[in-house]
């Protein structure tokens, strides 16, 4: 419940209370002796992403994927991977974005039918990343051509 409240407060742009609620939920997780914290870590990544702390978001999502993989929680693997792909796209690291987009897409294909909206979303995300990679390659080639022409 605290994790859900944290998400709501984050959406209401009350970042400090969102972090407090999430920290409180982590304390409960630890008190109960729960080892797999993939859901908590995914939510933490989301909060860091909202604060534009991309390095912390990346670290949280990677830990969430590791935890979810240990527990074979395909839904959390997919969610954390998809969010991680988005964060990497924001910081223009399209190689890593593509890697995690493909992980999310391939994981979703193990869960859902081929026509499920998650798969369609992940395919669109992957195509957007591939388009940005192509645009970056074209821009690099143009800059190299101009640089050689000016010599």
């Amino acid at each position: 419940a605290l994790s859900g409240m944290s998400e709501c407060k984050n959406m209401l742009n009350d970042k400090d209370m969102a972090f407090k609620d999430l920290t409180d939920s982590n304390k409960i997780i630890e008190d109960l002796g729960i080892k797999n914290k993939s859901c908590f870590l995914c939510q933490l990544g989301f909060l860091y992403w909202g604060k534009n702390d991309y390095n912390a978001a990346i670290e949280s999502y990677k830990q969430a994927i590791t935890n979810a993989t240990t527990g074979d929680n395909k839904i959390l693997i997919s969610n954390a991977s998809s969010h991680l792909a988005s964060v990497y796209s924001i910081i223009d690291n399209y190689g890593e974005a593509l890697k995690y987009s493909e992980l999310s897409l391939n994981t979703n294909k193990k869960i859902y039918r081929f026509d499920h909206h998650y798969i369609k979303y992940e395919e669109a995300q992957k195509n957007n990343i591939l388009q940005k990679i192509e645009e970056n390659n074209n821009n690099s080639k143009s800059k190299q051509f101009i640089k050689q022409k000016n010599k």
Side-chain angles (χ1 to χ4, degrees), residues 21-131:
D21 286 347
L22 196 60
T23 301
D24 291 347
S25 74
N26 186 47
K27 173 92 172 88
I28 293 168
I29 290 168
E30 289 175 355
D31 289 348
L32 292 173
I34 297 171
K35 301 283 185 228
N36 191 328
K37 297 163 92 173
S38 52
C39 187
F40 163 78
L41 291 163
C42 196
Q43 183 65 28
L44 184 61
F46 194 67
L47 292 179
Y48 282 129
W49 178 4
K51 290 181 82 166
N52 299 327
D53 188 347
Y54 301 123
N55 289 331
I58 288 168
E59 185 59 33
S60 293
Y61 286 133
K62 285 182 175 181
Q63 288 178 12
I65 292 167
T66 299
N67 272 242
T69 301
T70 302
D72 196 33
N73 188 332
K74 290 178 181 61
I75 291 172
L76 274 169
I77 293 168
S78 175
N79 288 345
S81 299
S82 180
H83 294 323
L84 193 48
S86 295
V87 171
Y88 274 124
S89 288
I90 289 169
I91 62 172
D92 297 332
N93 187 337
Y94 299 114
E96 288 297 299
L98 181 59
K99 175 177 139 183
Y100 287 101
S101 177
E102 288 175 337
L103 175 60
S104 182
L105 177 60
N106 291 334
T107 304
N108 274 325
K109 286 180 177 179
K110 294 175 186 174
I111 304 170
Y112 304 107
R113 290 174 18 141
F114 70 94
D115 61 344
H116 194 277
H117 66 276
Y118 284 165
I119 292 175
K120 291 178 181 179
Y121 171 81
E122 293 302 333
E123 286 174 341
Q125 182 180 38
K126 178 181 174 184
N127 289 334
N128 283 339
I129 293 167
L130 289 171
Q131 182 178 0

